[in-house]
Amino acid sequence: MTEKAHSGSVAALGAIVAGALILQIAGTIVNTVVPLRMAVAGQPPLLIGLVGSAYSIGFLVGCFAIPSLVRRIGHIRGFAVFAALQAASTLSFPMIPEALWGVARLVMGLSAAGHAICIESWISGQAKGSNRGRIFGIYQILNRLALIGSQIGVGYVAIQAHDVFLYASMAFSFALIPVALTRARGPESSEVVSVRLRTLWRHAPAAVIGCLYVGLVGGPLTNVAPAYGILIGLDQRATILLTAAIQIGALMLQWPLSLLADRIASRVIMLTAASAVALAATLLGVLLQLGTAHDRIWLFSLFTLIGGCGIPLYTVAVAHAYFRLGQEQAVGLSARLLFLWGVGSAIGPLAATLFMQLLGPQGLLAYLVVLSIATAAYLALRISRNPSPVIPESERGLTPPTMPDIELGKR
């Protein structure tokens, strides 16, 4: 019976991960094509930022509104509902004016939050406590590979096609198949102890700032960078490679930063990474002014560094919060950290495009520099006033996993 239960658990994990990877491919197509098409059509940067922020606002709303729905109808039905909403919203883009694309992106963000809740709570429910962190780590790596592959592959080939949104809608529909075919039941729902933001700020302010920073950086890098590439004179294919370079950097440094978070003071890692983003963005701005950065090696390399130092910091901030508040509050804590990331992701595209509206395309780099310097300065001040406690060697192996157990669906 134990062996049968184990095989059923593996099959359930395989089904939900397969569905999640197909969703990532579909979502990446839309995330890349929407700002790219708007930039090619000559839409103002601020409107592009508003459309990007609409997705994050929908995601934020979903984090609060959807868990009760998932608990009521179950994970498999919930997954199907959100996939249908994603597919229908994707088909609406060619049918409505670009000024209204924010409405479709809002619905897609809401649905994406539902999928995140279903997927991550399902994985957490199926995995054992002894290997949950590793399973989440593998899932995140596969997710990142699917994102990069879909940017370079599907987006690179189909970007000129008029029916690219049809391909994305088909992919959202295909994601239903492995989940609908599984005979496994979704995880049982239970109550979650909530962690107040005030408590989190009092015990781990650096984690609050870190999660906000990742959202404020990652939002523009995902939703604005395609438009930035077009505005600085890249063709559409080179722009797709630029956005892929950002995710390649995140993939390359995700695991090393996660390992360092278990061995080095997390605030030091966040301080170093934010400083590196500021330096890379400053150097890129200088090279663009001199005309040197039109050599695409410089452009792609520095954006790879920016993505690698900025996006993976979420896991470092989570590790810091777990260390300060304790593993027993993991579920409620992860929900609040995800909320902070969502707030940053909602504000970031709008703030970055406001810089671009005022300063031109290089306003994106100015935004990254100002934000990273402010974050690094705050972290440096916190470290100087409140040095990190020394972790005894005997407790290093007990450090909470760097991949958070986000079980919003059990709220």
Side-chain angles (χ1 to χ4, degrees), residues 3 12 14 44 63 74 94 148 193 231 246 254 259 277 280 296 305 313 316 391 411:
E3 184 176 345
C63 287
I148 295 169
V193 177
L231 292 174
I246 294 169
Q254 176 70 68
L259 290 177
V277 172
R296 293 179 181 178
L305 180 61
L313 281 189
V316 180
I391 305 175
R411 189 160 59 169

PDB file of all heavy atoms in Angstrom, residues 3 12 14 44 63 74 94 148 193 231 246 254 259 277 280 296 305 313 316 391 411:
ATOM      1  N   GLU A   3       3.905   1.522  -1.245  1.00  0.00           N
ATOM      2  CA  GLU A   3       4.496   1.706  -2.572  1.00  0.00           C
ATOM      3  C   GLU A   3       3.470   2.253  -3.546  1.00  0.00           C
ATOM      4  O   GLU A   3       3.764   3.113  -4.373  1.00  0.00           O
ATOM      5  CB  GLU A   3       5.041   0.364  -3.069  1.00  0.00           C
ATOM      6  CG  GLU A   3       5.767   0.469  -4.403  1.00  0.00           C
ATOM      7  CD  GLU A   3       6.367  -0.859  -4.814  1.00  0.00           C
ATOM      8  OE1 GLU A   3       6.465  -1.757  -3.952  1.00  0.00           O
ATOM      9  OE2 GLU A   3       6.736  -0.993  -5.991  1.00  0.00           O
ATOM     10  N   ALA A  12       0.789  12.247  -9.336  1.00  0.00           N
ATOM     11  CA  ALA A  12       0.101  13.524  -9.117  1.00  0.00           C
ATOM     12  C   ALA A  12       1.056  14.690  -9.278  1.00  0.00           C
ATOM     13  O   ALA A  12       0.713  15.707  -9.887  1.00  0.00           O
ATOM     14  CB  ALA A  12      -0.523  13.537  -7.723  1.00  0.00           C
ATOM     15  N   GLY A  14       3.783  14.695 -11.087  1.00  0.00           N
ATOM     16  CA  GLY A  14       4.117  14.799 -12.503  1.00  0.00           C
ATOM     17  C   GLY A  14       3.038  15.505 -13.293  1.00  0.00           C
ATOM     18  O   GLY A  14       3.323  16.325 -14.172  1.00  0.00           O
ATOM     19  N   PRO A  44       2.482  54.927 -25.882  1.00  0.00           N
ATOM     20  CA  PRO A  44       3.385  55.591 -24.921  1.00  0.00           C
ATOM     21  C   PRO A  44       3.858  54.625 -23.838  1.00  0.00           C
ATOM     22  O   PRO A  44       3.108  53.718 -23.439  1.00  0.00           O
ATOM     23  CB  PRO A  44       2.511  56.705 -24.328  1.00  0.00           C
ATOM     24  CG  PRO A  44       1.114  56.294 -24.593  1.00  0.00           C
ATOM     25  CD  PRO A  44       1.130  55.499 -25.861  1.00  0.00           C
ATOM     26  N   CYS A  63      -4.569  36.702  -4.796  1.00  0.00           N
ATOM     27  CA  CYS A  63      -3.955  36.119  -3.604  1.00  0.00           C
ATOM     28  C   CYS A  63      -4.903  36.150  -2.412  1.00  0.00           C
ATOM     29  O   CYS A  63      -4.819  35.300  -1.521  1.00  0.00           O
ATOM     30  CB  CYS A  63      -2.659  36.858  -3.262  1.00  0.00           C
ATOM     31  SG  CYS A  63      -1.292  36.513  -4.389  1.00  0.00           S
ATOM     32  N   GLY A  74     -12.127  22.750  -4.988  1.00  0.00           N
ATOM     33  CA  GLY A  74     -11.037  21.803  -5.174  1.00  0.00           C
ATOM     34  C   GLY A  74      -9.999  22.290  -6.162  1.00  0.00           C
ATOM     35  O   GLY A  74     -10.254  23.190  -6.968  1.00  0.00           O
ATOM     36  N   PRO A  94      -6.558  40.390 -29.838  1.00  0.00           N
ATOM     37  CA  PRO A  94      -6.752  40.921 -31.193  1.00  0.00           C
ATOM     38  C   PRO A  94      -8.119  41.576 -31.397  1.00  0.00           C
ATOM     39  O   PRO A  94      -8.329  42.251 -32.399  1.00  0.00           O
ATOM     40  CB  PRO A  94      -6.622  39.663 -32.076  1.00  0.00           C
ATOM     41  CG  PRO A  94      -5.988  38.625 -31.223  1.00  0.00           C
ATOM     42  CD  PRO A  94      -6.426  38.922 -29.840  1.00  0.00           C
ATOM     43  N   ILE A 148      12.543  30.380 -20.338  1.00  0.00           N
ATOM     44  CA  ILE A 148      13.602  30.765 -21.271  1.00  0.00           C
ATOM     45  C   ILE A 148      13.389  30.104 -22.630  1.00  0.00           C
ATOM     46  O   ILE A 148      13.515  30.728 -23.686  1.00  0.00           O
ATOM     47  CB  ILE A 148      14.975  30.395 -20.690  1.00  0.00           C
ATOM     48  CG1 ILE A 148      15.248  31.220 -19.424  1.00  0.00           C
ATOM     49  CG2 ILE A 148      16.078  30.621 -21.719  1.00  0.00           C
ATOM     50  CD1 ILE A 148      16.451  30.739 -18.648  1.00  0.00           C
ATOM     51  N   VAL A 193      -2.390  29.959   9.904  1.00  0.00           N
ATOM     52  CA  VAL A 193      -2.184  31.040  10.858  1.00  0.00           C
ATOM     53  C   VAL A 193      -1.600  32.238  10.111  1.00  0.00           C
ATOM     54  O   VAL A 193      -0.567  32.132   9.453  1.00  0.00           O
ATOM     55  CB  VAL A 193      -1.233  30.601  11.983  1.00  0.00           C
ATOM     56  CG1 VAL A 193      -0.971  31.760  12.941  1.00  0.00           C
ATOM     57  CG2 VAL A 193      -1.823  29.412  12.733  1.00  0.00           C
ATOM     58  N   LEU A 231      12.441  50.314 -28.163  1.00  0.00           N
ATOM     59  CA  LEU A 231      12.666  51.762 -28.091  1.00  0.00           C
ATOM     60  C   LEU A 231      14.130  52.146 -28.263  1.00  0.00           C
ATOM     61  O   LEU A 231      14.431  53.268 -28.674  1.00  0.00           O
ATOM     62  CB  LEU A 231      12.137  52.298 -26.755  1.00  0.00           C
ATOM     63  CG  LEU A 231      10.601  52.244 -26.592  1.00  0.00           C
ATOM     64  CD1 LEU A 231      10.197  52.657 -25.184  1.00  0.00           C
ATOM     65  CD2 LEU A 231       9.913  53.120 -27.626  1.00  0.00           C
ATOM     66  N   ILE A 246      17.784  38.090 -19.476  1.00  0.00           N
ATOM     67  CA  ILE A 246      17.433  38.423 -18.089  1.00  0.00           C
ATOM     68  C   ILE A 246      17.079  37.155 -17.322  1.00  0.00           C
ATOM     69  O   ILE A 246      17.546  36.945 -16.194  1.00  0.00           O
ATOM     70  CB  ILE A 246      16.248  39.414 -18.073  1.00  0.00           C
ATOM     71  CG1 ILE A 246      16.670  40.749 -18.686  1.00  0.00           C
ATOM     72  CG2 ILE A 246      15.717  39.609 -16.655  1.00  0.00           C
ATOM     73  CD1 ILE A 246      15.513  41.700 -18.953  1.00  0.00           C
ATOM     74  N   GLN A 254      20.194  31.531  -9.423  1.00  0.00           N
ATOM     75  CA  GLN A 254      19.167  31.108  -8.469  1.00  0.00           C
ATOM     76  C   GLN A 254      19.720  30.135  -7.435  1.00  0.00           C
ATOM     77  O   GLN A 254      19.583  30.329  -6.222  1.00  0.00           O
ATOM     78  CB  GLN A 254      18.009  30.461  -9.218  1.00  0.00           C
ATOM     79  CG  GLN A 254      16.913  29.893  -8.320  1.00  0.00           C
ATOM     80  CD  GLN A 254      16.112  30.974  -7.638  1.00  0.00           C
ATOM     81  OE1 GLN A 254      15.379  31.701  -8.286  1.00  0.00           O
ATOM     82  NE2 GLN A 254      16.236  31.089  -6.328  1.00  0.00           N
ATOM     83  N   LEU A 259      21.967  28.734  -2.019  1.00  0.00           N
ATOM     84  CA  LEU A 259      22.941  28.052  -1.159  1.00  0.00           C
ATOM     85  C   LEU A 259      23.633  29.041  -0.231  1.00  0.00           C
ATOM     86  O   LEU A 259      23.832  28.769   0.961  1.00  0.00           O
ATOM     87  CB  LEU A 259      23.979  27.317  -2.018  1.00  0.00           C
ATOM     88  CG  LEU A 259      23.487  26.092  -2.787  1.00  0.00           C
ATOM     89  CD1 LEU A 259      24.611  25.521  -3.638  1.00  0.00           C
ATOM     90  CD2 LEU A 259      22.957  25.029  -1.832  1.00  0.00           C
ATOM     91  N   VAL A 277      23.378  45.283  -9.134  1.00  0.00           N
ATOM     92  CA  VAL A 277      22.377  45.762 -10.099  1.00  0.00           C
ATOM     93  C   VAL A 277      22.593  47.242 -10.395  1.00  0.00           C
ATOM     94  O   VAL A 277      22.554  47.672 -11.558  1.00  0.00           O
ATOM     95  CB  VAL A 277      20.954  45.521  -9.558  1.00  0.00           C
ATOM     96  CG1 VAL A 277      19.921  46.202 -10.457  1.00  0.00           C
ATOM     97  CG2 VAL A 277      20.651  44.031  -9.480  1.00  0.00           C
ATOM     98  N   ALA A 280      25.748  47.580 -12.574  1.00  0.00           N
ATOM     99  CA  ALA A 280      25.543  47.091 -13.941  1.00  0.00           C
ATOM    100  C   ALA A 280      24.671  48.054 -14.742  1.00  0.00           C
ATOM    101  O   ALA A 280      24.958  48.349 -15.911  1.00  0.00           O
ATOM    102  CB  ALA A 280      24.908  45.699 -13.906  1.00  0.00           C
ATOM    103  N   ARG A 296      26.111  44.142 -28.985  1.00  0.00           N
ATOM    104  CA  ARG A 296      25.083  43.434 -28.221  1.00  0.00           C
ATOM    105  C   ARG A 296      25.650  42.544 -27.124  1.00  0.00           C
ATOM    106  O   ARG A 296      24.921  42.155 -26.210  1.00  0.00           O
ATOM    107  CB  ARG A 296      24.206  42.619 -29.182  1.00  0.00           C
ATOM    108  CG  ARG A 296      23.370  43.512 -30.093  1.00  0.00           C
ATOM    109  CD  ARG A 296      22.526  42.702 -31.048  1.00  0.00           C
ATOM    110  NE  ARG A 296      21.767  43.589 -31.926  1.00  0.00           N
ATOM    111  CZ  ARG A 296      20.975  43.174 -32.893  1.00  0.00           C
ATOM    112  NH1 ARG A 296      20.837  41.880 -33.121  1.00  0.00           N
ATOM    113  NH2 ARG A 296      20.324  44.033 -33.647  1.00  0.00           N
ATOM    114  N   LEU A 305      23.379  40.010 -15.961  1.00  0.00           N
ATOM    115  CA  LEU A 305      23.815  40.265 -14.593  1.00  0.00           C
ATOM    116  C   LEU A 305      22.706  40.925 -13.773  1.00  0.00           C
ATOM    117  O   LEU A 305      22.483  40.567 -12.602  1.00  0.00           O
ATOM    118  CB  LEU A 305      25.059  41.153 -14.605  1.00  0.00           C
ATOM    119  CG  LEU A 305      25.648  41.522 -13.238  1.00  0.00           C
ATOM    120  CD1 LEU A 305      26.076  40.271 -12.484  1.00  0.00           C
ATOM    121  CD2 LEU A 305      26.827  42.473 -13.407  1.00  0.00           C
ATOM    122  N   LEU A 313      16.647  37.142  -5.655  1.00  0.00           N
ATOM    123  CA  LEU A 313      16.749  37.600  -4.269  1.00  0.00           C
ATOM    124  C   LEU A 313      15.502  37.280  -3.456  1.00  0.00           C
ATOM    125  O   LEU A 313      15.530  37.369  -2.228  1.00  0.00           O
ATOM    126  CB  LEU A 313      17.012  39.112  -4.226  1.00  0.00           C
ATOM    127  CG  LEU A 313      18.436  39.582  -4.480  1.00  0.00           C
ATOM    128  CD1 LEU A 313      18.555  41.064  -4.171  1.00  0.00           C
ATOM    129  CD2 LEU A 313      19.433  38.794  -3.639  1.00  0.00           C
ATOM    130  N   VAL A 316      16.276  34.589  -1.061  1.00  0.00           N
ATOM    131  CA  VAL A 316      17.166  35.059   0.005  1.00  0.00           C
ATOM    132  C   VAL A 316      16.352  35.817   1.058  1.00  0.00           C
ATOM    133  O   VAL A 316      16.552  35.634   2.268  1.00  0.00           O
ATOM    134  CB  VAL A 316      18.275  35.960  -0.578  1.00  0.00           C
ATOM    135  CG1 VAL A 316      19.205  36.447   0.523  1.00  0.00           C
ATOM    136  CG2 VAL A 316      19.071  35.209  -1.643  1.00  0.00           C
ATOM    137  N   ILE A 391      25.370  32.308  13.573  1.00  0.00           N
ATOM    138  CA  ILE A 391      24.624  31.054  13.579  1.00  0.00           C
ATOM    139  C   ILE A 391      25.552  29.945  14.029  1.00  0.00           C
ATOM    140  O   ILE A 391      26.588  29.699  13.394  1.00  0.00           O
ATOM    141  CB  ILE A 391      24.074  30.730  12.176  1.00  0.00           C
ATOM    142  CG1 ILE A 391      23.238  31.894  11.662  1.00  0.00           C
ATOM    143  CG2 ILE A 391      23.255  29.452  12.202  1.00  0.00           C
ATOM    144  CD1 ILE A 391      22.761  31.710  10.249  1.00  0.00           C
ATOM    145  N   ARG A 411      -5.540  28.511   2.928  1.00  0.00           N
ATOM    146  CA  ARG A 411      -5.890  29.606   3.823  1.00  0.00           C
ATOM    147  C   ARG A 411      -7.386  29.582   4.110  1.00  0.00           C
ATOM    148  O   ARG A 411      -8.173  29.320   3.220  1.00  0.00           O
ATOM    149  CB  ARG A 411      -5.474  30.936   3.196  1.00  0.00           C
ATOM    150  CG  ARG A 411      -5.585  32.103   4.122  1.00  0.00           C
ATOM    151  CD  ARG A 411      -4.751  33.252   3.653  1.00  0.00           C
ATOM    152  NE  ARG A 411      -5.164  33.688   2.306  1.00  0.00           N
ATOM    153  CZ  ARG A 411      -4.722  34.802   1.771  1.00  0.00           C
ATOM    154  NH1 ARG A 411      -3.882  35.557   2.407  1.00  0.00           N
ATOM    155  NH2 ARG A 411      -5.119  35.173   0.568  1.00  0.00           N
TER     156      ARG A 411
END
